[in-house]
Amino acid sequence: MAPSDCSAGSMKAGGTTRVWVRRGLGLLGLALAVLLGLSHFVRLRYQGRIVPLAVAPEAPVALVFGAGLAPGAVPSPVLAQRLDAAIALWRQGKVRSLLVSGDNSAPFHNETRAMRRYLLEHGVPEDAVVGDEAGLSTYDSCLRAHSVFGANRAVLVTQRFHLSRALFIANSVGIDAWGVAADEGRATPWRYTVRETLSRVLALGMVLLEVKPGSTDGQPPTAPR
C-alpha cells in the first residue's frame, strides 16, 4: 500500500473515532439533562408545602423519618434534630401523635426503639408515639404510613434537603402531606445535595411503577386518621 493510502486510512479511522466520541458525549449530556430535569421536577412539585414550624398546619400525625444511630444506640445528631422538631410540633398542638419510622433490619440497630425512647425522655406521652419498624426507606415509610397506619393527612419532619422527595412520595401515595424542615435556617451540606439529585429521580420511578414496600409486615393502624 502506498504511503498516501496508509495516511488516508489513518485519517479516516481517526475521524470515525472522533464522531463516536462526540456522539457518546452527546448522549451522555442528554442523559444528564434528563436526569437533572426529572430531579428538578420532583424538587419543585410540592415546594410550596414546605413551611416554617410556627405556621405548620394542624394534622393528626407527624411522620418522622429515621436517620441512623450514634454510638450507644442513641439518635444521630441529624435524627435528634428531626425528633426535636417533632416534639415542638406536638407541644404546640399542631399534631396529636408522632409516627416514628425507622430501619430495624440490622441486628443491634433499632432506630424506632431509640426514637421512641428519645421522645418519651423529652416528655411526649407513650400513647402519643407510634412506631413503624419497617421504614426501610423514605418510600417505604410514606407508603406504610398511609396503607398500614391509616395516615391520610400528615406533617413530614426531616431536613430540608430531604423534604421535597419525601413530600413528593407522600402526596403521590395518598397522604395530604406538608413538610417542616428540622434544620430550618441552616445550610445544606453539598454531599446531601448531590445524593438527593439522584434519589429524587429514583423516587419518581418508584412512584410511577407503584413499587411495593421492602417489608410487607403489617401492623395495626393505630395512628389517628
Side-chain angles (χ1 to χ4, degrees):
M1 181 181 294
S4 58
D5 293 338
C6 293
S7 176
S10 298
M11 291 177 63
K12 184 176 181 181
T16 301
T17 299
R18 285 193 294 272
V19 168
W20 282 108
V21 168
R22 285 197 297 270
R23 288 178 178 176
L25 291 175
L27 288 174
L28 181 62
L30 178 61
L32 181 60
V34 171
L35 184 148
L36 292 176
L38 294 175
S39 181
H40 190 62
F41 167 76
V42 172
R43 185 177 68 84
L44 294 182
R45 181 67 179 86
Y46 294 100
Q47 190 76 7
R49 285 181 171 241
I50 299 177
V51 297
L53 192 152
V55 298
E58 293 185 5
V61 62
L63 173 57
V64 189
F65 300 90
L69 301 178
V74 299
S76 66
V78 171
L79 181 53
Q81 198 174 56
R82 297 179 185 182
L83 293 169
D84 288 340
I87 292 169
L89 281 170
W90 178 80
R91 286 177 176 168
Q92 292 180 19
K94 301 285 188 178
V95 298
R96 297 198 298 272
S97 71
L98 306 178
L99 173 56
V100 293
S101 184
D103 180 0
N104 304 323
S105 59
F108 310 109
H109 183 88
N110 194 314
E111 283 187 347
T112 306
R113 182 185 302 167
M115 294 163 78
R116 180 191 294 272
R117 184 170 58 244
Y118 186 96
L119 293 173
L120 297 181
E121 289 174 351
H122 286 76
V124 180
E126 189 169 1
D127 60 3
V129 182
V130 182
D132 180 9
E133 298 187 351
L136 306 180
S137 67
T138 302
Y139 180 84
D140 285 11
S141 294
C142 292
L143 189 58
R144 286 174 56 82
H146 178 61
S147 62
V148 177
F149 293 90
N152 294 320
R153 180 176 171 83
V155 177
L156 310 186
V157 183
T158 183
Q159 278 70 26
R160 189 175 184 87
F161 69 84
H162 181 218
L163 261 181
S164 57
R165 174 163 57 103
L167 281 169
F168 179 82
I169 296 171
N171 282 283
S172 297
V173 301
I175 302 176
D176 178 18
W178 293 74
V180 166
D183 59 344
E184 187 176 322
R186 297 179 176 86
T188 299
W190 67 268
R191 64 181 183 279
Y192 291 137
T193 300
V194 173
R195 187 186 72 180
E196 282 300 307
T197 298
L198 301 175
S199 297
R200 285 193 290 264
V201 178
L202 178 61
L204 175 60
M206 296 177 77
V207 166
L208 293 177
L209 295 173
E210 298 183 350
V211 175
K212 301 298 181 183
S215 173
T216 57
D217 294 340
Q219 298 182 32
T222 53
R225 293 180 182 271

